[in-house]
Amino acid sequence: MSQYYPIPQPTIANNILIRRERRLPVPGEVLVKAGQRVEPSDIIAQSTIASEPVRVDIASALEMSPGAAARRLLVSPGAEVAQGDVLAQRGGTGSRSARSPVAGVFAGYDLDSGTALINTPAEPVTVRAHLKGIVTDLVPYYGAIIETPATLVRGIFGIGGEQHGVLKVGASSGDEQLTPDMVDARFTYSIVLAGGELTLDTLYRLIEQGARGVIAGSIRSSELQRFLGMSGTHSWALGAATGESAGWDFPPPVPGMAPQVPPDFVVIITEGFGSVPMTPRTFELIAAYDGQEIAIDGTTRLRGSLARPEVLIPLARTTAVRFLEEKGPTVEVGTNVRLLSPSYLGQMAQVTGLPRGPRTVQSGVVAPVADVQLFTGQKLRVPLLDLEVLE
């Protein structure tokens, strides 16, 4: 099964100039200057975000009315409290107490509800460069714009957020499966190119060896569900329905249990669900940078501001670098494409003709079509919607 969403961006963009804005969610301090060279792990801006106050039900804990509980308070507004400190106490027979569940500052007591508020310390928030490049512009109080020549490869779907590390090629071709016995200590702290189908056992082995992420052609939906600890079709619902954070919920929250999957481990799938080899063009392009530091981002959004996961490979600056065209690439005679229909998913072809007007294809659908020739020599007529331009 393929998972395709029409984002007007090329799948592969080689030797382009990437410009990315890296910014804080709230105003803060920018730590870099224009013209400065940065590494992926460098912090470029920092700030703090105030946490939500923690509510403590004093009256219920003491089993008293709000007014009576107020006379049992042992702390005053503005006082610092540690986790477990007694906020109020009822003595005598059946003594009871109300303790602070967190460390913070006692903000006050509400006589109407019998509850108190504890303000917790502000949480630090930082933004890292994520890319190896040069700061070209600053975004005052928020961050900076980083520019770098790079090769960009977009996947079909991903899990996790941003990560960087040295690329290690684990498979010899796009159709070879990386098995658990092939994973060892050489993959520690690295981004692994796995080739074809990815399995649950291989994922566990990669995490055990301390890999930071994996790029593979495909994964069976049942394996992915087990990896994420999900069951049933309802578990495939996306995250928040609106906003930039809409996307996969990874790792999925399990009440009362620590997550089984490291939150900084990233999975990028280039072809889709099932057992599909990685397109040779994609595999060969990425594998050519074995041993070089790369950046990956598993962010996948299917609503609002659509986003595909991506692999970014910084390059040495060259005079031939070009800007990335974010508009949709044009399908023309001679264009190299990848097929998205289930029967030919992942196969590469070249457009040989573009008949005018809608035509009937093998499935009986009437739609705008293209004549293509697979790299095996087979000729097909397919709907334009079943094509994805590679570059």
Side-chain angles (χ1 to χ4, degrees):
M1 183 179 89
S2 67
Q3 182 167 345
Y4 172 72
Y5 32 97
I7 297 177
Q9 298 169 336
T11 302
I12 297 175
N14 197 9
N15 200 21
I16 59 172
L17 192 64
I18 294 286
R19 300 185 81 243
R20 292 293 163 86
E21 182 178 272
R22 309 288 297 165
R23 62 182 295 152
L24 294 164
V26 295
E29 179 186 9
V30 179
L31 305 176
V32 294
K33 299 179 180 179
Q36 179 177 335
R37 184 175 293 276
V38 292
E39 297 294 325
S41 59
D42 289 347
I43 297 176
I44 65 170
Q46 62 184 14
S47 186
T48 57
I49 297 180
S51 303
E52 289 290 328
V54 176
R55 189 178 298 274
V56 184
D57 194 338
I58 302 288
S60 294
L62 300 184
E63 295 185 349
M64 302 177 72
S65 67
R71 295 190 289 272
R72 304 288 182 168
L73 289 173
L74 302 179
V75 293
S76 303
E80 293 186 3
V81 295
Q83 183 177 6
D85 281 359
V86 177
L87 304 178
Q89 188 165 9
R90 171 184 174 181
T93 304
S95 62
R96 293 181 173 275
S97 62
R99 297 178 179 272
S100 176
V102 294
V105 176
F106 186 80
Y109 179 81
D110 182 13
L111 280 172
D112 293 327
S113 64
T115 60
L117 292 180
I118 307 294
N119 290 328
T120 56
E123 294 289 335
V125 57
T126 60
V127 172
R128 298 183 184 273
H130 181 53
L131 300 174
K132 182 177 182 179
I134 295 176
V135 176
T136 57
D137 295 287
L138 299 181
V139 182
Y141 305 106
Y142 283 94
I145 295 175
I146 298 174
E147 185 177 287
T148 186
T151 287
L152 169 66
V153 177
R154 289 189 171 96
I156 291 295
F157 72 89
I159 321 166
E162 296 175 346
Q163 189 54 275
H164 68 275
V166 173
L167 174 68
K168 293 292 181 65
V169 177
S172 60
S173 65
D175 57 3
E176 182 184 14
Q177 185 180 81
L178 182 69
T179 56
D181 60 285
M182 298 165 64
V183 179
D184 53 33
R186 66 193 173 100
F187 293 142
T188 302
Y189 304 127
S190 66
I191 309 296
V192 181
L193 181 60
E197 181 185 346
L198 191 61
T199 65
L200 178 68
D201 290 339
T202 299
L203 281 168
Y204 284 154
R205 181 64 175 163
L206 287 167
I207 291 172
E208 179 184 324
Q209 289 297 324
R212 293 180 175 178
V214 60
I215 307 165
S218 59
I219 186 172
R220 297 179 189 271
S221 59
S222 57
E223 295 283 279
L224 183 59
Q225 281 183 308
R226 290 169 59 200
F227 177 62
L228 297 179
M230 296 178 170
S231 61
T233 56
H234 68 280
S235 296
W236 291 103
L238 297 178
T242 59
E244 291 293 317
S245 62
W248 299 95
D249 194 4
F250 177 82
V254 179
M257 289 181 59
Q260 298 289 318
V261 181
D264 54 355
F265 185 78
V266 179
V267 178
I268 292 183
I269 301 299
T270 62
E271 312 302 325
F273 290 119
S275 179
V276 185
M278 186 179 296
T279 304
R281 174 74 175 116
T282 302
F283 181 85
E284 293 166 5
L285 181 64
I286 299 175
Y289 298 97
D290 186 22
Q292 180 173 322
E293 189 168 29
I294 68 171
I296 58 176
D297 187 351
T299 301
T300 304
R301 287 195 299 270
L302 308 184
R303 298 188 181 99
S305 178
L306 301 179
R308 292 175 65 168
E310 61 184 24
V311 179
L312 277 169
I313 307 170
L315 306 174
R317 185 171 293 275
T318 66
T319 56
V321 72
R322 57 188 174 87
F323 285 97
L324 173 64
E325 294 290 341
E326 291 293 341
K327 63 183 181 180
T330 304
V331 178
E332 301 173 336
V333 174
T335 300
N336 290 327
V337 296
R338 177 169 60 180
L339 304 188
L340 300 171
S341 59
S343 300
Y344 300 94
L345 179 62
Q347 293 197 44
M348 293 174 61
Q350 188 174 71
V351 177
T352 58
L354 292 167
R356 292 190 177 184
R359 302 292 180 92
T360 302
V361 295
Q362 286 92 331
S363 64
V365 173
V366 178
V369 299
D371 292 327
V372 302
Q373 182 172 348
L374 300 180
F375 284 17
T376 60
Q378 184 180 0
K379 295 181 179 180
L380 300 171
R381 174 165 286 181
V382 297
L384 288 177
L385 287 177
D386 278 347
L387 299 180
E388 184 174 52
V389 177
L390 286 179
E391 295 188 69

